[in-house]
Structure formats: C-alpha cells, structure tokens
C-alpha cells in the first residue's frame, strides 16, 4: 500500500528531491486568467487583483530562490508543468490526477 499526501509550495520539489516516490507539479497561468481568478476569489477590482497577484508571485519566487537550488518555475525542477489558463481549472485538475494515477501505477 502506498501512502500519499500533498505539499503545496514551500520548496517541496527541492526538499523531497531524493525521494523516489515524490512527484512534483508546477501550475502556471497567463496574467489575464490569473487576474480574473484573483478578482473573483478576493472580490477585487482589476488593478488591485493585479497588484496582489504580482506581490504574491514575487514573495513566492523570492522565498523559493532563497531556500532552493533551482529557480522558481524552472520546468527542469518538476515532473509536470501545466498551464491552467490553457485547460481551465477543472481540466487542469483532471490532467494532474491522470498523471498522478499513472505515476502511482509504475
């Protein structure tokens, strides 16, 4: 029986890099799609959403690049990178689940 859990962020792909059962996923998106999700989630206007998004992305990048060897968002550090703007949130989730299922079967 395999146990599984999810760690979101916090350099997990770097910290767990030597674990043969680790699967790392990076989800990215274009600015307009991300801004629309931030506007909806936090009930913000476009300018406020864009500022919040940029600030949070900068904080994530700074944190990651300080604590990990690789650069934040560098596809070489992940098993799978998915652009959620291309597929939408629901299809992105289905894609990740399919990838995880295939990984677990190996």
């Amino acid at each position: 029986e395999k146990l599984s859990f999810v760690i979101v962020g916090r350099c997990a792909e770097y910290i767990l890099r030597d674990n043969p059962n680790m699967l790392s996923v990076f989800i990215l998106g274009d600015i307009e799609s991300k801004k629309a999700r931030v506007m909806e989630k936090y009930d913000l206007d476009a300018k406020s959403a864009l500022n919040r998004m940029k600030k949070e992305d900068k904080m994530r990048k700074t944190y990651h690049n300080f604590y990990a060897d690789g650069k934040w968002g560098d596809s070489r550090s992940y098993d799978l990178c998915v652009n959620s703007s291309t597929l939408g949130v629901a299809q992105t989730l289905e894609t990740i689940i399919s990838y995880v299922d295939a990984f677990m079967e190996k």
Side-chain angles (χ1 to χ4, degrees), residues 26-39 46 49-50 53-54 57 60 72 81-89 92:
F26 188 82
I27 303 169
L28 60 135
D30 65 47
I31 290 175
E32 290 303 314
S33 297
K34 289 169 57 176
K35 181 175 69 174
R37 283 195 296 272
V38 171
M39 288 172 65
L50 187 60
M53 183 182 72
K54 286 181 177 181
D57 280 351
R60 287 182 183 117
W72 183 69
C81 294
V82 181
N83 185 333
S84 63
S85 300
T86 303
L87 299 175
V89 174
T92 296

Side-chain angles (χ1 to χ4, degrees), residues 13-69:
E13 89 291 345
Y14 173 71
I15 295 166
L16 298 171
R17 67 190 176 280
D18 294 327
N19 184 326
N21 297 313
M22 192 266 300
L23 176 69
S24 59
V25 177
F26 188 82
I27 303 169
L28 60 135
D30 65 47
I31 290 175
E32 290 303 314
S33 297
K34 289 169 57 176
K35 181 175 69 174
R37 283 195 296 272
V38 171
M39 288 172 65
E40 183 179 333
K41 182 173 182 176
Y42 298 105
D43 193 29
L44 298 172
D45 61 61
K47 183 177 179 181
S48 298
L50 187 60
N51 287 337
R52 181 177 183 143
M53 183 182 72
K54 286 181 177 181
K55 181 180 176 184
E56 288 187 14
D57 280 351
K58 183 177 181 181
M59 287 176 22
R60 287 182 183 117
K61 181 179 181 178
T62 300
Y63 180 94
H64 184 280
N65 291 351
F66 181 82
Y67 289 104
D69 286 342

